[in-house]
Amino acid sequence: MYKLRPIQSNKWAVLSVVTLVSFITNLDATIVVIGLPAIMEDLRIPINIGMWTITAFYIMSTLFLLPAGRWSDMLGTKHIFLWGLTLFTISTALCGLANSSATLIGARLLQGTGAAMAMASATPILIRTFPPNQLGIALGINNISWVTGSLIGPVIGGALIDDFGWRSIFFVAVPTGVIGLISGLLVLKNTTPIEKGKTDWPGILTFGPGLVALLVALSEGQSWGWTSVPTLSLFATALLLWIAFVLIELRVRNPLFPLSLFTYRNYSIGLGITMSYCIGYFAVTILLMLYLQGAHRLSPLEAGLLLIPLSIPQLFTAPFGGKFADRFGPVRMILLGSFLIGLALLLLGQLGSQLSNMAVIIPLLIISAATGLSWPSLAKAVLSAAPQERAGSASGMFWTVYEMCRAISQALSLVVVQLSVKSSSVLPLFSETGTGEIAQSKSALIYATNNGFRFFAIFFAIAIVLGFFLMKPQSKKDSWKEKNIVRQSG
């Protein structure tokens, strides 16, 4: 009885620590979007380099999310959580001290690695701390912290940049990270490792560089030329590395990606929907930042306030999304949400040279409300398509695809913009001077962002098409094959 008492008395303290870290890692992931123009202007870097200050974080959080989950089982959740938070806090301070694009991008790579370690161990900590009848409440509170980080990140970031400069958006997170470290040392329990195994380093060293090669090719392809030797070499490198990755994953004992999950038809279709959904969704804030701060020269705070409608409605619709999914089926909610988000993107594709707040706010309200209804349904449809005994692997792959497509979405948004306006022409739009050349670049940037919104609406059309395949009942042959695979894996 005595041994159980500390766990019961400290469970809410544990939740407070985990929630604080979830909040700050997501806040710092999203706050940089609103700070990108100030970073570009201060460090005198073009947009294709500036975008890497965002993409670098997501590359590393994608790459280390699954390994960090395995490390938590091998070394203990407390150790991985605190090591990740330590790395995140130190690298956040380095971001604020960076005096060049190279040092800032390097610090962001470390920051993404630390965030992945902390995120991957957060849920296991809560599962081992709370009893089953309270676990749902704990996970719900932790999830709200993520939405809250996305909600207030642009506003806090805008206010800080206006008053103290872009470095302040990093420095403000350092004390919070230190508080989380001290609190974690005091309240988190040491856990006994529950699994022994090896890290799939060959998988990491093929998947990660392959992703980087793809993103560099997408980021620089327009300036180098899409048929140039460097661009084609990078695409070829990405392809070869990922072919090697697949071959390795099929043979390694503890794969980074359990590719056998793709034999489950509905899981594969669901991941396809997830990819289309995420690529279409995460470009919105980048395109809006360019439109609001580049074309219309809004301050970071003004732009941040206009982004609030992208977060608030889903706080209210998300609780209903799960209920409607149970009542009407998750696929119907996915189709409805994808249709509404695609429609809202087409509305954003009509933005003009005169800024209309309502023309921005109304589509963002639609996107947010539709996300609250459809995203829980999508997660449920994908994760329930895998057998229960493989739920952990299925969840890990789902969230890895989520992070990967987040990075790809932002790289593609740069590609779309660069098709209409040169990278070197974007930077002067964020300065104080105004010339005829800048006015011409402004028109080109508005044209580019409008095309961007329309382009990313296509991905929600793809999600809808895949959703209809998900509605189609499985054939008896497919159903028999999946049951046979489950029997063999058991």
Side-chain angles (χ1 to χ4, degrees), residues 72-407:
S72 295
D73 292 336
M74 293 166 55
L75 303 174
T77 52
K78 178 179 179 178
H79 291 95
I80 298 303
F81 183 82
L82 293 180
W83 290 346
L85 182 55
T86 300
L87 180 59
F88 177 84
T89 304
I90 293 173
S91 56
T92 299
L94 293 176
C95 287
L97 295 171
N99 57 6
S100 68
S101 59
T103 53
L104 179 57
I105 292 170
R108 287 285 283 173
L109 290 169
L110 293 175
Q111 197 183 35
T113 305
M117 294 171 67
M119 289 187 295
S121 52
T123 299
I125 287 175
L126 295 180
I127 290 174
R128 295 171 185 175
T129 301
F130 281 83
N133 63 325
Q134 293 180 331
L135 181 59
I137 297 174
L139 292 175
I141 292 173
N142 189 53
N143 185 62
I144 289 174
S145 72
W146 279 89
V147 180
T148 306
S150 301
L151 173 62
I152 70 174
V155 179
I156 291 179
L160 287 171
I161 294 166
D162 279 351
D163 292 336
F164 305 106
W166 66 268
R167 298 178 189 275
S168 62
I169 65 178
F170 296 108
F171 287 139
V172 74
V174 174
T176 309
V178 173
I179 292 172
L181 276 172
I182 296 173
S183 302
L185 286 168
L186 293 174
V187 305
L188 296 181
K189 302 295 177 183
N190 289 312
T191 56
T192 303
I194 61 175
E195 179 182 326
K196 292 183 179 180
K198 295 182 179 180
T199 301
D200 179 18
W201 288 112
I204 292 175
L205 295 176
T206 48
F207 176 75
L211 178 61
V212 172
L214 173 64
L215 294 176
V216 172
L218 291 175
S219 300
E220 303 295 340
Q222 182 65 24
S223 56
W224 291 347
W226 293 108
T227 58
S228 67
V229 172
T231 303
L232 293 177
S233 297
L234 283 170
F235 280 127
T237 299
L239 178 62
L240 291 174
L241 284 171
W242 279 359
I243 290 174
F245 170 73
V246 170
L247 295 176
I248 289 169
E249 297 306 282
L250 291 173
R251 297 180 181 181
V252 73
R253 185 173 182 180
N254 297 304
L256 181 68
F257 266 39
L259 298 180
S260 59
L261 283 169
F262 285 113
T263 57
Y264 302 101
R265 171 185 173 272
N266 285 355
Y267 183 78
S268 299
I269 295 174
L271 277 187
I273 297 173
T274 303
M275 293 178 68
S276 299
Y277 193 106
C278 291
I279 291 174
Y281 180 85
F282 286 110
V284 173
T285 52
I286 298 294
L287 295 174
L288 275 177
M289 178 274 296
L290 291 172
Y291 176 76
L292 296 174
Q293 292 185 256
H296 290 291
R297 302 208 180 181
L298 267 62
S299 70
L301 178 58
E302 291 170 330
L305 289 172
L306 276 177
L307 289 177
I308 288 179
L310 191 57
S311 300
I312 288 181
Q314 61 185 295
L315 291 174
F316 301 96
T317 58
F320 294 100
K323 294 181 180 178
F324 291 158
D326 292 336
R327 183 172 181 180
F328 302 108
V331 179
R332 288 185 172 85
M333 301 311 299
I334 294 169
L335 292 174
L336 175 62
S338 298
F339 172 77
L340 290 174
I341 297 173
L343 177 63
L345 288 177
L346 293 178
L347 292 176
L348 288 173
Q350 305 300 317
L351 295 174
S353 57
Q354 296 297 321
L355 177 61
S356 168
N357 288 344
M358 295 309 296
V360 174
I361 291 172
I362 291 176
L364 293 187
L365 290 173
I366 295 173
I367 292 173
S368 182
T371 300
L373 292 174
S374 58
W375 180 254
S377 300
L378 178 55
K380 177 181 178 179
V382 176
L383 298 180
S384 62
Q388 190 172 5
E389 62 269 23
R390 307 194 67 184
S393 298
S395 177
M397 281 187 63
F398 174 78
W399 290 110
T400 300
V401 166
Y402 169 91
E403 292 288 340
M404 178 182 71
C405 291
R406 197 170 183 172

Side-chain angles (χ1 to χ4, degrees), residues 25-45:
T25 51
N26 193 49
L27 176 72
D28 229 50
T30 56
I31 203 172
V32 180
V33 175
I34 208 72
L36 180 58
I39 293 171
M40 289 166 50
E41 182 179 4
D42 184 51
L43 298 181
R44 305 302 300 173
I45 55 178

Side-chain angles (χ1 to χ4, degrees), residues 23 51 55 135 140 324 387 416 435 444:
F23 169 76
M51 284 292 296
T55 305
L135 181 59
F324 291 158
V416 174
T435 64

Side-chain angles (χ1 to χ4, degrees), residues 403-450:
E403 292 288 340
M404 178 182 71
C405 291
R406 197 170 183 172
I408 292 174
S409 175
Q410 291 163 351
L412 283 176
S413 66
L414 177 60
V415 172
V416 174
V417 169
Q418 286 184 318
L419 289 174
S420 301
V421 59
K422 296 180 180 179
S423 295
S424 58
S425 301
V426 176
L427 182 58
L429 291 171
F430 299 107
S431 64
E432 297 298 326
T433 58
T435 64
E437 182 181 353
I438 288 178
Q440 189 175 13
S441 296
K442 172 183 174 180
S443 298
L445 185 58
I446 293 173
Y447 177 78
T449 53
N450 282 343

